[in-house]
Amino acid sequence: MKCPYCGHSDTRVVDSRPSDEGMAIRRRRECPSCGRRFTTYERTQLEPLMVIKRDGRKEPFNPDKLLRGLLLACEKRPVDPEVLKRFAYSFEDQVSGPEIASEEIGLKAMAFLREVDQVAYIRFASVYREFDSVERFIEEIRRLGGVDKEEGNR
Ligand SMILES: [Zn+2]
């Protein structure tokens, strides 16, 4: 496994443990060249989850694409990237059935971000929902202010 920081072609596994109730192996790796550490996940690949796009076309689900969107929304926010990685790479496990609409991925990601960081949530939602006016954007932020009250009514 190549080092994502310096590109060194060999890295050492320093820790290896089961994750997601044994459905994945989480490996902590260290680069002997630059000394930095990173995490990889190894998991069984079943039939790929297919995403139904807005225009009706289908493509295989890509956790890296989801992760990029999450990282972008969380830029300069106090969010541990590992939390985002875990969500993106275990996403397929949360979906029952061979297909999912791209809208639903967005909604699930929004629900997740809402728990993680509200600024990131708003950023993600503004891109995802393509707020067509400042008013709608402000409305959404107001709605967030009443989160606790809403939760109590559920
Ligand atoms: Zn390195």
Side-chain angles (χ1 to χ4, degrees), residues 10 23-24 32 44 46 57 77 90 101 107 115 118 133-134:
D10 197 28
M23 291 304 288
T44 317
L46 304 170
R57 281 186 300 137
R77 296 297 302 164
S90 68
L107 290 175
E115 300 296 318
Q118 299 222 323
S133 68
V134 176

Side-chain angles (χ1 to χ4, degrees), residues 10 14 25 33 42 48 64 85 95 114 140 149:
D10 197 28
V14 289
I25 303 284
S33 175
E42 179 184 301
D64 294 317
K85 272 182 208 163
V95 179
R114 197 169 153 167
E140 182 70 22
K149 217 162 51 189

Side-chain angles (χ1 to χ4, degrees), residues 80-94:
D80 182 358
E82 287 296 325
V83 174
L84 306 180
K85 272 182 208 163
R86 228 175 293 139
F87 176 78
Y89 290 110
S90 68
F91 188 83
E92 273 180 274
D93 306 337
Q94 301 165 34

Side-chain angles (χ1 to χ4, degrees), residues 112-151:
F112 162 73
L113 280 180
R114 197 169 153 167
E115 300 296 318
V116 171
D117 186 279
Q118 299 222 323
V119 171
Y121 164 73
I122 285 287
R123 282 184 193 157
F124 189 88
S126 66
V127 174
Y128 178 71
R129 285 188 174 160
E130 293 167 347
F131 286 119
D132 44 21
S133 68
V134 176
E135 286 75 19
R136 275 197 53 203
F137 188 69
I138 292 170
E139 198 181 295
E140 182 70 22
I141 293 169
R142 282 221 186 92
R143 220 172 54 75
L144 275 179
V147 164
D148 292 332
K149 217 162 51 189
E150 266 177 40
E151 300 286 343

Side-chain angles (χ1 to χ4, degrees), residues 37-86:
R37 290 185 172 199
F38 61 99
T39 305
T40 55
Y41 291 89
E42 179 184 301
R43 57 177 62 248
T44 317
Q45 181 73 57
L46 304 170
E47 285 298 299
L49 176 67
M50 295 304 285
V51 179
I52 307 163
K53 307 213 300 184
R54 281 166 209 248
D55 62 9
R57 281 186 300 137
K58 290 179 190 178
E59 64 179 24
F61 171 72
N62 180 352
D64 294 317
K65 198 170 152 185
L66 175 60
L67 182 59
R68 270 199 302 277
L70 296 173
L71 286 170
L72 206 63
C74 292
E75 207 173 31
K76 292 184 181 147
R77 296 297 302 164
V79 177
D80 182 358
E82 287 296 325
V83 174
L84 306 180
K85 272 182 208 163
R86 228 175 293 139

Side-chain angles (χ1 to χ4, degrees), residues 2-11 30-38:
K2 223 171 169 179
C3 171
Y5 299 105
C6 71
H8 189 75
S9 59
D10 197 28
T11 46
E30 190 180 84
C31 172
S33 175
C34 70
R36 282 160 122 163
R37 290 185 172 199
F38 61 99

